[in-house]
Amino acid sequence: MPRDRSAGSEQTKPYLGTVPRDAAENVTAMEWARYLGREFGPTGAINALAYYRDIDWISERARRMMIRHVRGLSLEELDRVSDDPVEIDAALDSLKESPFRRHAKSLEFIAKMAGTDVETDLVSLRHPDEHTVR
């Protein structure tokens, strides 16, 4: 069974095992839920969470907790799907113009709740040959 990064231990998968319940992470979870609702609509947000579970970004437990946050959003928060540009972390800059940019922003929220940062994790995901100077 993989260990949960949000519990402060090293792990491989899932990236976020649970949505922390402390105040700061709860605010982040609500911001993420609003983001998902705006970007994907309510059904799309729930589908995105299932996708994140399937690719091991989040656990089933985290998915269920986030679905509760999405379902708790007001109609005004879910009323429109945003066409506004998505601003993402500089580490993910190469995805800025790609269709993946909205998911990259979700990865930022997940990393924040897991207590890590995207750039550090991206470096660790690179193939070992990429670190070799030729």
Side-chain angles (χ1 to χ4, degrees), residues 8-82:
S9 60
E10 189 177 323
Q11 72 142 30
T12 55
K13 293 180 181 180
Y15 190 68
L16 179 67
T18 188
V19 176
R21 295 184 184 255
D22 68 25
E25 266 66 24
N26 198 31
V27 168
T28 302
M30 285 306 302
E31 287 174 2
W32 185 29
R34 283 186 205 102
Y35 171 78
L36 290 170
R38 264 192 337 268
E39 294 300 321
F40 302 107
T43 302
I46 291 170
N47 289 339
L49 290 166
Y51 172 67
Y52 302 149
R53 180 212 45 220
D54 292 347
I55 61 172
D56 287 322
W57 281 5
I58 63 174
S59 68
E60 176 60 22
R61 181 178 180 188
R63 184 190 72 84
R64 286 192 312 266
M65 294 172 84
M66 285 305 301
I67 285 173
R68 282 188 223 128
H69 284 298
V70 169
R71 287 184 175 156
L73 296 174
S74 69
L75 290 176
E76 292 80 25
E77 292 170 301
L78 292 171
D79 189 31
R80 66 177 183 89
V81 174
S82 175

Side-chain angles (χ1 to χ4, degrees), residues 5 15 25 89-92 104-126:
R5 273 190 198 182
Y15 190 68
E25 266 66 24
D89 188 276
L92 301 170
K105 185 67 177 178
S106 281
L107 184 57
E108 286 182 39
F109 283 109
I110 292 166
K112 186 173 181 180
M113 287 189 290
T116 187
D117 68 270
V118 173
E119 186 167 12
T120 300
D121 293 324
L122 287 176
V123 169
S124 69
L125 292 174
R126 290 194 176 117

